Amino acid sequence: MDFRKQFVVSPGKKLKLAAIDPAQSGGQLSNEAAQPEISKYVTRMAEMQALLYANADQSLLVVLQALDAAGKDGVVRHLFSGMNPQGTSVFGFKQPSAAEAAHDFLWRAHQRTPGKGEVVVFNRSYYEDVLVVRVHDLVPKSVWSKRYDLINDFEKLLTQNGTRILKFFLHISPEEQLERFKQRLDDPARNWKISESDYSERELWPKYTEAYEDALEKTSTAHAPWYVIPANHKWFRNLAASQIIAETMADMKLKLPPTRVDLDEVRRKYHVAAAAAAAQQKKNGKD
């Protein structure tokens, strides 16, 4: 099953989230059957991240967007834990600081985009500036409506600099969200995730749906596609996202960089050093 084809938001086409079942799970698939596949893709991701880091001529940006409790943290935890921390980072977008608010809305995002050889995950992102600000009327429509083109230009700039961009909307139902809120209440280890805004934001579900549909429609491009991932089943969410990331990284044609030294000369120096070390060890043994 090719999840890239199945869940991509086709550029220029109308999107209706209500037409996408958030509870779908790939037909005959099950949690148990999916786990080996997820492990396979996560391993491939880690292997290719090592090549990306070694060669340092491209980068990968993964954007995660969703309504509360859809599983952004879970995707980060389950799919990126095998990557080398030296070349992987996660940035969570919260309410802008005073310094961030004093600049254009893309300023803080640009500072966190991946450098050559890096993988960066945005847990929420600059898309909040056409989502939250729209739903809560924080800026007028004349402002946020112009940001779609600015975002497209920003992502085009990143792409031209060697950054591959993947954007995921984790799609859950209101019923599943409420069940996850219950789990947070019932599990002391998850109580810290509870927020007063959980329920006030939930009341704005129709407005968020409309905002997401517009954002995904207007900013899904060939070079920075959006994928709507059914996320009621956590295991299916992880399977679909891991396959898409792994196959996209495979398309990047990652490989080890060429050797930049004279290996014969380095081998000669090694043998000289090894012989000197052996001689010193032998001398120390006699002493």
Side-chain angles (χ1 to χ4, degrees):
M1 190 175 299
D2 188 342
F3 294 128
R4 286 198 291 182
K5 289 183 179 179
Q6 185 173 356
F7 297 135
V8 70
V9 178
S10 298
K13 289 192 176 181
K14 196 72 177 172
L15 173 68
K16 279 296 178 185
L17 290 173
I20 302 172
D21 181 8
Q24 65 175 287
S25 56
Q28 300 302 313
L29 287 174
S30 66
N31 184 14
E32 293 72 21
Q35 292 308 316
E37 287 294 296
I38 296 170
S39 296
K40 177 184 74 174
Y41 291 129
V42 169
T43 298
R44 285 180 61 195
M45 287 166 56
E47 292 171 348
M48 287 185 283
Q49 184 259 337
L51 298 177
L52 178 70
Y53 181 74
N55 207 29
D57 66 342
Q58 299 181 73
S59 58
L60 176 67
L61 174 62
V62 177
V63 174
L64 301 176
Q65 288 286 159
L67 293 168
D68 293 330
K72 299 183 298 299
D73 292 345
V75 168
V76 172
R77 183 170 63 254
H78 290 289
L79 303 193
F80 295 93
S81 58
M83 289 189 175
N84 186 341
Q86 289 190 101
T88 311
S89 60
V90 179
F91 181 69
F93 281 73
K94 311 264 184 207
Q95 184 174 345
S97 67
E100 290 168 344
H103 292 79
D104 68 89
F105 79 101
L106 289 169
W107 181 78
R108 64 172 176 163
H110 210 155
Q111 295 185 89
R112 301 288 182 169
T113 56
K116 297 292 179 66
E118 296 178 345
V119 174
V120 171
V121 182
F122 282 175
N123 187 335
R124 299 191 188 275
S125 69
Y126 44 94
Y127 280 93
E128 296 294 289
D129 289 282
V130 292
L131 296 167
V132 173
V133 299
R134 169 179 173 172
V135 170
H136 287 277
D137 295 319
L138 300 180
V139 298
K141 181 178 180 178
S142 60
V143 174
W144 60 255
S145 62
K146 295 176 182 177
R147 289 177 174 172
Y148 302 120
D149 288 339
L150 295 172
I151 286 173
N152 286 333
D153 289 342
F154 173 63
E155 292 175 344
K156 185 176 181 180
L157 173 64
L158 297 181
T159 302
Q160 291 175 343
N161 196 47
T163 298
R164 188 66 64 98
I165 303 171
L166 290 174
K167 302 176 295 192
F168 296 100
F169 173 67
L170 308 182
H171 182 38
I172 64 168
S173 65
E175 296 79 14
E176 178 62 21
Q177 185 194 59
L178 195 60
E179 173 59 28
R180 294 184 187 183
F181 285 172
K182 180 180 182 298
Q183 293 170 4
R184 291 178 179 181
L185 281 170
D186 294 342
D187 183 356
R190 300 185 190 183
N191 286 171
W192 66 272
K193 289 189 172 184
I194 297 173
S195 169
E196 289 286 351
S197 67
D198 288 345
Y199 298 92
S200 59
E201 292 295 281
R202 179 178 167 82
E203 293 175 359
L204 299 171
W205 195 286
K207 288 188 175 182
Y208 271 110
T209 297
E210 184 180 12
Y212 266 110
E213 287 174 346
D214 282 349
L216 272 59
E217 282 177 14
K218 295 178 185 299
T219 62
S220 190
T221 60
H223 58 271
W226 272 107
Y227 296 91
V228 177
I229 306 296
N232 274 16
H233 298 287
K234 297 177 181 179
W235 61 267
F236 186 72
R237 172 202 72 200
N238 293 342
L239 174 62
S242 63
Q243 184 200 87
I244 292 169
I245 296 169
E247 292 186 353
T248 298
M249 294 183 79
D251 286 348
M252 295 169 73
K253 308 298 182 186
L254 301 168
K255 57 185 179 181
L256 289 173
T259 303
R260 296 181 175 87
V261 298
D262 184 336
L263 287 178
D264 290 336
E265 178 62 16
V266 171
R267 287 192 183 96
R268 184 191 67 77
K269 291 180 178 179
Y270 164 77
H271 289 302
V272 170
Q280 184 62 46
Q281 186 177 20
K282 184 177 181 180
K283 179 182 178 183
N284 292 342
K286 289 181 178 181
D287 293 343

